[in-house]
């Protein structure tokens, strides 16, 4: 089943996504309504569904305006229903639902917030990760623990490597500068960093990326590698401990 995937810049550095197939469109996160309405109208699409990843205002700020305009069906995490806009359908970890003839898998990915979910659509080859796994980064640990985020990232890392990683922000250039402090000798990272700079110079988004690219260059996915542990002087430490150290360093970078 062919799907179209559209990246919509919102606010100063957020992204929403449109997933369109079989005449139906799902909007993943609604930082604000106007740019999403414009992207829909350009294609003569309607916001049939809205999928919410987590409760932060920069991901839900435009939900009610969009729902009022299109009568969208709104989906989000059961665990976070109390602090999300009213949900028409709520989902727990590993629940699935049908969208445009495809199966959508809901993955609980706590860490940034405790109720953060991702949406994996195998038939579209895409996972919507928002502020869990991000391009060259991961979300800050506002509510969850490092162990939770490491477990979340490890689940996402097990998806097919060609999967498009649709994350929630344009933070990639800053993330690249930090990543180089963890793996300064990485040629894959140097190449990616050059690609990021040229994309940004042309005003192009750096998301989605692919899971393979993240596995090769994202320091937060690479905490389990011996070379990274040695570099951080953490030989023999658990992967989660090394992840926690990388996250701690990024927080003060
Ligand atoms: Zn957030
Ligand atoms: Fe965010």
């Amino acid at each position: 089943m062919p799907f179209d995937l559209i990246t919509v810049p919102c606010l100063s550095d957020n992204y929403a996504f449109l997933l369109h197939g079989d005449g139906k469109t799902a909007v993943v996160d609604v930082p604000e309504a106007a740019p999403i309405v414009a992207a829909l109208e350009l294609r003569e699409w309607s916001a049939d569904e809205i999928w919410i990843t987590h409760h932060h205002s920069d991901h839900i700020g435009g939900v009610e305006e969009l729902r009022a305009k299109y009568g969208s069906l709104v989906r989000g995490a059961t665990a976070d229903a109390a602090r999300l806009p009213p949900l028409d359908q709520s989902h727990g970890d590993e629940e699935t639902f049908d969208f445009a003839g495809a199966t959508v898998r809901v993955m609980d990915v706590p860490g940034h917030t405790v109720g953060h979910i991702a949406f994996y659509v195998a038939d579209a080859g895409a996972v919507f990760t928002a502020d869990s796994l991000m391009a060259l980064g991961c979300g800050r640990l506002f509510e969850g623990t490092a162990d939770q985020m490491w477990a979340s990232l490890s689940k996402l890392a097990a998806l097919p490597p060609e999967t498009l990683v649709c994350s929630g922000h344009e933070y990639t250039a800053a993330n690249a500068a930090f990543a180089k402090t963890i793996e300064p000798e990485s040629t894959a990272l140097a190449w990616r960093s050059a690609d990021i700079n040229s994309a940004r110079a042309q005003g192009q988004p750096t998301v989605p990326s692919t899971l393979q690219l993240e596995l090769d260059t994202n320091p937060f996915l690479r905490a389990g590698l011996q070379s990274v542990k040695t570099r951080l002087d953490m030989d023999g430490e658990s992967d989660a401990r090394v992840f926690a150290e990388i996250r701690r360093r990024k927080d003060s970078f």
Side-chain angles (χ1 to χ4, degrees):
M1 162 103 32
F3 279 91
D4 290 313
L5 177 63
I6 310 293
T7 303
V8 184
C10 295
L11 303 175
S12 58
D13 58 22
N14 276 78
Y15 289 120
F17 298 90
L18 310 182
L19 183 68
H20 180 86
D22 199 22
K24 296 277 185 205
T25 307
V27 180
V28 186
D29 282 345
V30 190
E32 58 177 336
I36 295 169
V37 170
L40 289 165
E41 288 184 345
L42 187 67
R43 297 167 177 86
E44 301 186 338
W45 295 348
S46 162
D48 300 287
E49 299 201 3
I50 295 169
W51 304 349
I52 299 171
T53 60
H54 69 295
H55 73 91
H56 286 156
S57 60
D58 63 316
H59 297 259
I60 65 172
V63 167
E64 291 306 349
E65 190 177 339
L66 215 60
R67 176 185 354 225
K69 184 171 172 66
Y70 295 103
S72 321
L73 182 142
V74 179
R75 301 180 186 272
T78 306
D80 251 0
R83 52 183 185 173
L84 294 174
L87 301 176
D88 300 301
Q89 291 283 329
S90 73
H91 300 283
D93 188 28
E94 297 301 335
E95 279 186 31
T96 60
F97 61 89
D98 179 88
F99 174 73
T103 298
V104 182
R105 173 183 165 197
V106 175
M107 301 170 71
D108 188 30
V109 287
H112 177 67
T113 66
V114 291
H116 198 306
I117 55 175
F119 299 90
Y120 174 56
V121 190
D123 286 347
V127 63
F128 299 93
T129 58
D131 298 354
S132 57
L133 174 60
M134 305 179 81
L136 263 185
C138 75
R140 244 176 221 265
L141 303 177
F142 286 124
E143 298 175 7
T145 64
D147 281 357
Q148 283 178 316
M149 181 63 103
W150 176 248
S152 297
L153 296 182
S154 299
K155 280 202 295 189
L156 294 166
L159 294 174
E162 65 275 16
T163 304
L164 294 170
V165 177
C166 303
S167 54
H169 289 269
E170 185 58 62
Y171 293 162
T172 322
N175 288 345
F178 172 73
K180 286 175 183 172
T181 69
I182 303 296
E183 293 190 284
E185 257 112 69
S186 165
T187 51
L189 185 55
W191 281 110
R192 186 174 185 187
S193 180
D195 285 347
I196 291 161
N197 292 340
S198 75
R200 295 310 295 150
Q202 297 167 61
Q204 298 297 318
T206 61
V207 303
S209 58
T210 66
L211 182 57
Q212 186 66 63
L213 190 56
E214 299 306 328
L215 291 167
D216 290 343
T217 55
N218 186 325
F220 297 101
L221 289 184
R222 295 170 65 76
L225 294 182
Q226 185 57 52
S227 60
V228 171
K229 292 184 180 182
T230 301
R231 160 103 198 147
L232 298 181
D233 208 10
M234 295 184 76
D235 285 314
E237 296 279 10
S238 72
D239 300 353
R241 285 283 301 274
V242 178
F243 167 78
E245 171 63 15
I246 296 172
R247 186 61 256 178
R248 189 192 65 75
R249 291 184 183 208
K250 176 67 164 61
D251 288 344
S252 57
F253 179 68

